[in-house]
Amino acid sequence: PAYPGLYLDDAYKAYKNKNYKKAFLLYKKAKDVANINGVLKTDSFKAFYNIALFYDKGIGTKKNKIKAALNY
């Protein structure tokens, strides 16, 4: 089965290359995989934190303070 860490490196690389939409989608995928598998590890927390940050700042997606708060 997939685990969040599979997507985090690529998400970080996309972010560093200023491909924010791709980074957002990869962090979201990591978060979704963590939810499905019930994984609560460092990788899961990184995914949730980054999704919250992206929603909060409007990075790669529209700003949405509610979704940001739900992911913190």
Side-chain angles (χ1 to χ4, degrees):
Y3 62 96
L6 291 174
Y7 304 101
L8 292 177
D9 287 339
D10 289 336
Y12 182 72
K13 288 176 190 172
Y15 176 80
K16 291 305 261 181
N17 289 323
K18 298 184 180 177
N19 189 345
Y20 301 125
K21 184 150 182 87
K22 181 178 180 180
F24 173 78
L25 293 173
L26 288 166
Y27 280 126
K28 190 168 183 330
K29 182 71 172 174
K31 183 193 93 123
D32 292 343
V33 167
N35 278 341
I36 290 169
N37 293 334
V39 178
L40 291 175
K41 294 183 180 177
T42 302
D43 289 346
S44 301
F45 296 122
K46 288 179 185 176
F48 278 84
Y49 174 80
N50 283 302
I51 285 296
L53 184 64
F54 277 46
Y55 275 126
D56 187 55
K57 304 293 183 191
I59 302 170
T61 190
K62 285 182 152 184
K63 274 188 180 184
N64 189 320
K65 298 289 186 177
I66 294 171
K67 286 184 179 181
L70 292 173
N71 283 285
Y72 271 121

